[in-house]
């Protein structure tokens, strides 16, 4: 009786897997910097928000520029994953591309909202027609829009992420356990975004459910960078 042997699938590391891996890892690393640099919500709660801002404008703008760079990388990631997964199912890969690219565009809109907040706090001459309390109120309004845009963004991101992880799952390009982890991770983002849209003042503790997502994106990024994808010979 002939012995059966298990032949490991060859691992492939091409430009697209490397680009996807690097951008996955960079996105999650970069995402931590803006919140480490400043807390806009706390700033706007202070009565002298404009004065505090004037002394730290450069720091705030650097943080916002970093966040903008993150969304540019999301665009690159969306493209790389589409090219990588198109041979598995072109239509579903396109579906994922639309939603992940939509995430990046919504992120750019969020950046516009936060830049508008900064404009209200600059003390520019044309803003002297407004009372300080009015300017601070407008700044908080656009800061809230920034937060709402993130709720929508997470919902859109989650749908695209589930589609891509499902394609990874059926293709076995990466370990199926990693693909399932990704689908669960992105499902929590969909749920979190939807709950925050549907429920007024949803519990902030819900955000903790997304914590494993950061580890997943770093893990899949490192896997694609160093292991590549497995294909049937």
């Amino acid at each position: 009786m002939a012995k059966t042997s298990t032949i490991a699938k060859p691992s492939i590391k091409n430009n697209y897997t490397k680009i996807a891996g690097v951008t996955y890892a960079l996105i999650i690393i970069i995402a931590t910097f803006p919140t480490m640099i400043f807390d806009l919500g706390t700033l706007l709660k202070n009565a002298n928000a404009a004065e505090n801002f004037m002394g730290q404008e450069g720091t705030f703008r650097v943080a916002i520029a970093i966040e903008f760079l993150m969304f540019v990388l999301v665009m690159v990631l969306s493209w790389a994953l589409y090219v990588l997964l198109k041979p598995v199912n072109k239509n579903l890969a396109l579906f994922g591309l639309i939603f992940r690219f939509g995430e990046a565009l919504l992120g750019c809109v969020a950046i516009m909202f936060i830049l508008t907040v900064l404009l209200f706090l600059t003390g520019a001459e044309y803003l002297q027609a407004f009372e300080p309390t009015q300017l601070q109120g407008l700044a908080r309004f656009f800061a809230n829009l920034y937060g709402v845009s993130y709720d929508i963004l997470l919902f859109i991101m989650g749908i695209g992420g589930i589609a891509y992880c499902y394609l990874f799952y059926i293709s076995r390009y990466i370990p199926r356990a990693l693909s399932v982890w990704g689908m669960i991770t992105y499902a929590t983002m969909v749920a979190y975004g939807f709950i925050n849209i549907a429920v007024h003042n949803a519990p902030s503790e819900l955000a903790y459910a997304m914590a494993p997502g950061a580890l997943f994106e770093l893990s899949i990024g490192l896997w694609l960078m160093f292991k590549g994808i497995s294909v049937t010979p």
Side-chain angles (χ1 to χ4, degrees):
M1 183 176 178
K3 292 183 179 180
T4 58
S5 60
T6 302
I7 301 176
K9 294 181 180 180
S11 179
I12 293 179
K13 285 188 285 186
N14 57 29
N15 290 336
Y16 300 114
T17 59
K18 291 177 183 177
I19 291 171
V22 170
T23 50
Y24 250 130
L26 282 177
I27 286 167
I28 200 59
I29 293 170
I30 289 175
T32 62
F33 283 102
T35 52
M36 291 172 59
I37 294 174
F38 77 99
D39 183 353
L40 186 64
T42 301
L43 171 71
L44 293 175
K45 290 178 182 177
N46 296 328
N48 56 343
E51 289 80 359
N52 290 341
F53 169 75
M54 291 301 292
Q56 306 177 62
E57 181 179 0
T59 303
F60 293 158
R61 289 191 177 277
V62 167
I64 293 169
I66 291 172
E67 189 172 359
F68 174 67
L69 177 61
M70 178 184 73
F71 289 117
V72 173
L73 289 174
V74 171
M75 294 180 185
V76 176
L77 173 65
S78 305
W79 162 75
L81 289 176
Y82 169 73
V83 175
L84 191 62
L85 295 167
K86 182 173 64 172
V88 182
N89 186 313
K90 182 178 180 180
N91 289 334
L92 193 53
L94 180 60
F95 180 86
L97 172 66
I98 290 170
F99 278 86
R100 288 306 306 259
F101 203 84
E103 168 206 343
L105 294 179
L106 282 169
C108 292
V109 172
I111 296 296
M112 290 174 61
F113 287 145
I114 207 68
L115 285 173
T116 303
V117 171
L118 302 191
L119 289 175
F120 284 129
L121 299 177
T122 56
E125 184 177 350
Y126 62 84
L127 293 174
Q128 292 179 4
F130 298 93
E131 295 293 330
T133 53
Q134 292 176 319
L135 290 174
Q136 191 157 337
L138 287 169
R140 293 188 69 174
F141 171 74
F142 278 92
N144 286 335
L145 285 180
Y146 171 77
V148 170
S149 65
Y150 256 89
D151 293 333
I152 301 171
L153 181 154
L154 286 171
F155 184 88
I156 297 298
M157 173 187 179
I159 293 175
I162 290 171
Y164 278 145
C165 286
Y166 176 72
L167 289 174
F168 274 124
Y169 179 83
I170 63 175
S171 66
R172 296 180 182 266
Y173 279 174
I174 62 176
R176 281 193 155 183
L178 189 57
S179 301
V180 171
W181 181 13
M183 286 188 280
I184 294 172
T185 289
Y186 289 116
T188 62
M189 293 182 183
V190 172
Y192 178 80
F194 183 79
I195 291 171
N196 275 278
I197 293 169
V199 179
H200 180 61
N201 289 331
S204 58
E205 291 79 11
L206 289 174
Y208 292 118
M210 297 189 298
L215 183 58
F216 163 75
E217 295 207 330
L218 182 60
S219 298
I220 190 174
L222 294 175
W223 185 278
L224 292 173
M225 270 194 289
F226 297 110
K227 297 288 288 185
I229 58 173
S230 298
V231 295
T232 303

